[in-house]
Amino acid sequence: MTLTIRRAEAADAASIHAIFCCPSVIRQSLQLPFPSVAEWRKRLTGNDANSHLLLACDAAGQVLAAGGIHREPNPRRQHAGSLFLVVHEAHQGHGVGRALLDALLAYADDWLGLVRLELVAYPDNLRAISLYESVGFEREGVLRQEALRDGRYEDGLLMARLRGPERSAA
Amino acid sequence: MNRYRIRAAEPEDAAALAAMMNTPRAYSGTLQLPYPSVELWTERLSRLGDNGRTLLLAEAPDGTPVGNAGLWVDPKPRRRHVADFGIAVRDDWQGRGVGSALMTALVDLADNWLGLTRLELTVYTDNEAAIALYRRFGFEHEATCRAYALRDGRYVDVYRMARIKA
């Protein structure tokens, strides 16, 4: 499949909204059911210099996956960012997430110069965890009752990947 | 332990907070920068209120602020049972029960008035006094985050600790 990676624009609100309407995406994220397009438009036009949101599209231009890096605004944590990645249910398991993840990591490493990338995954999201491990994320610990999901407080697996000057000097 | 009066931070406390946080151990042990301005603290104090942000002060018997503790309820709807918090004690008042007095007040607020079930924090892995204090209040180690923050020229690790209300 020929994929195009590009930055998300305000006009992509409906496409990103469609991904976040997928039950498994809601389940494995911190988003709520019944998201609105307007809310996504607002997020996309927020002009937050620390937010970097990329999309993976097919040859017809359809948005298949979204992912982003949020750089920490605290001056003592500007070397760190959090990463998220979501793939539309209809397009999971075809390497789309991997391609977008590779682009996000290159962006974080080579253009933002981030030393630490972190994320939290639900421990039962095995496919995501093994994808993250395959690109160098390591398990740092389990956060108990980290988030509400479908009526239950679930744990979160904290993962991080270290790169950059600190790593090579060590 | 009740030598200290715990009260809400007020807008008029900005200068005292800036002074308290302009001591090397206070900013080294937190995520704050050296040379904090009074304006920065005025702005922070203006954002407190009913949006889940609380800042408490501990006063010595003569009324001098000697420590502060902030609690931030997570704004994400699926994490409203969670709050993050931070404590700082003026350098020359460390080891005298200020942190313990602040913790008692914060944990009571979280448990009995805000109904929070998960309290979480980060602490530098070499801050043994703080780690011991948190353990006494039921916090447990959950994760070790590598290169979490810059401190005096180096990226250093933190522990993530949390306390779950039974």
Side-chain angles (χ1 to χ4, degrees):
Chain A
M1 191 189 309
T2 310
L3 287 175
T4 303
I5 308 289
R6 64 171 176 82
R7 191 176 296 271
E9 314 261 6
D12 295 310
S15 304
I16 296 171
H17 168 263
I19 298 175
F20 279 99
C21 285
C22 300
S24 71
V25 171
I26 294 167
R27 191 175 164 75
Q28 300 295 3
S29 69
L30 286 176
Q31 302 298 313
L32 291 176
F34 312 115
S36 78
V37 177
E39 181 60 31
W40 277 101
R41 198 173 297 120
K42 200 162 73 187
R43 289 178 192 173
L44 289 167
T45 51
N47 259 337
D48 179 354
N50 290 311
S51 279
H52 306 267
L53 186 55
L54 303 181
L55 303 177
C57 308
D58 65 12
Q62 191 192 353
V63 176
L64 310 181
I69 290 163
H70 186 261
R71 185 175 201 159
E72 286 291 332
N74 184 306
R76 285 175 61 181
R77 297 209 65 218
Q78 282 183 6
H79 65 293
S82 53
L83 180 139
F84 87 92
L85 179 66
V86 289
V87 182
H88 193 288
E89 268 178 17
H91 304 284
Q92 291 179 2
H94 298 103
V96 177
R98 176 60 192 253
L100 182 53
L101 181 57
D102 285 343
L104 286 166
L105 295 178
Y107 186 88
D109 290 347
D110 302 336
W111 300 96
L112 296 177
L114 296 185
V115 171
R116 177 182 165 87
L117 271 182
E118 56 195 15
L119 61 88
V120 178
Y122 293 97
D124 63 2
N125 195 357
L126 300 177
R127 196 155 64 175
I129 292 166
S130 69
L131 174 64
Y132 293 132
E133 284 182 328
S134 75
V135 294
F137 281 85
E138 293 174 49
R139 299 169 188 231
E140 289 193 327
V142 173
L143 314 176
R144 298 160 298 160
Q145 301 184 24
E146 201 264 343
L148 187 65
R149 184 176 73 174
D150 196 13
R152 288 169 48 97
Y153 291 124
E154 300 287 352
D155 295 346
L157 175 66
L158 178 64
M159 305 182 78
R161 170 183 177 274
L162 300 192
R163 281 291 185 281
E166 177 74 4
R167 184 76 157 196
S168 46
Chain B
M1 182 172 302
N2 296 325
R3 284 174 290 160
Y4 304 102
R5 175 178 170 242
I6 306 296
R7 63 167 176 85
E10 304 285 353
E12 302 76 48
D13 294 316
L17 281 160
M20 189 190 305
M21 297 309 293
N22 196 24
T23 52
R25 280 167 68 187
Y27 58 72
S28 299
T30 60
L31 287 172
Q32 307 293 312
L33 289 174
Y35 315 115
S37 69
V38 176
E39 276 174 17
L40 172 74
W41 279 96
T42 302
E43 194 268 329
R44 282 184 185 157
L45 290 164
S46 74
R47 283 187 283 124
L48 300 175
D50 52 10
N51 54 354
R53 290 169 170 268
T54 300
L55 188 65
L56 302 179
L57 277 190
E59 280 182 354
D62 69 354
T64 313
V66 292
N68 71 83
L71 178 139
W72 303 269
V73 178
D74 200 299
K76 294 186 192 73
R78 287 170 64 175
R79 284 178 46 81
R80 287 272 168 83
H81 62 296
V82 180
D84 183 21
F85 77 86
I87 284 195
V89 175
R90 217 173 78 180
D91 280 14
D92 51 344
W93 281 80
Q94 294 192 4
R96 295 163 70 175
V98 179
S100 198
L102 285 164
M103 283 296 289
T104 301
L106 269 189
V107 166
D108 174 65
L109 190 63
D111 281 358
N112 301 319
W113 300 94
L114 292 169
L116 303 173
T117 56
R118 176 181 163 85
L119 283 181
E120 57 185 25
L121 60 87
T122 56
V123 58
Y124 294 105
T125 56
D126 57 4
N127 192 350
E128 285 163 20
I131 294 165
L133 172 69
Y134 299 143
R135 285 222 176 92
R136 278 206 302 282
F137 281 86
F139 284 78
E140 293 174 38
H141 172 264
E142 289 187 330
T144 304
C145 303
R146 300 155 297 159
Y148 184 83
L150 189 65
R151 186 182 69 181
D152 196 15
R154 298 179 60 87
Y155 293 123
V156 294
D157 299 350
V158 300
Y159 292 141
R160 285 190 64 152
M161 301 182 76
R163 174 183 178 276
I164 305 291
K165 191 178 181 231

